[in-house]
Amino acid sequence: MTKAEYREYFAQCKPLLRMSYFLRLAGIGDSNFSYFMKGNDFLLSLEKLELLYNCIGNELNSKVV
């Protein structure tokens, strides 16, 4: 996924999830995530974004199954 696709996905998740919980799991600072969501692509790497994406997916899958 591209950074723009991650941004779109996280924007859809934000109203439904407490993002700070998942940010802590992924080791991402709240302010870095906030700047990323506002369009700053330089603070978060694709690896960190993928880790956050996987943390959300794994947590939701463990709750549903």
Side-chain angles (χ1 to χ4, degrees), residues 9-62:
Y9 173 78
F10 297 137
Q12 292 174 357
C13 291
K14 279 180 71 170
L16 305 172
L17 302 174
R18 273 189 49 213
M19 291 303 293
S20 61
Y21 170 77
F22 295 103
L23 292 171
R24 259 183 275 128
L25 286 178
I28 297 172
D30 290 333
S31 60
N32 285 356
F33 182 73
S34 178
Y35 284 124
F36 170 75
M37 292 302 291
K38 292 177 182 175
N40 187 333
D41 283 345
F42 302 106
L43 292 175
L44 292 177
S45 66
L46 282 174
E47 292 80 17
K48 283 285 192 179
L49 295 170
E50 183 177 0
L51 179 60
L52 178 59
Y53 177 83
N54 289 333
C55 285
I56 292 170
N58 291 340
E59 187 74 18
L60 294 178
N61 284 334
S62 72

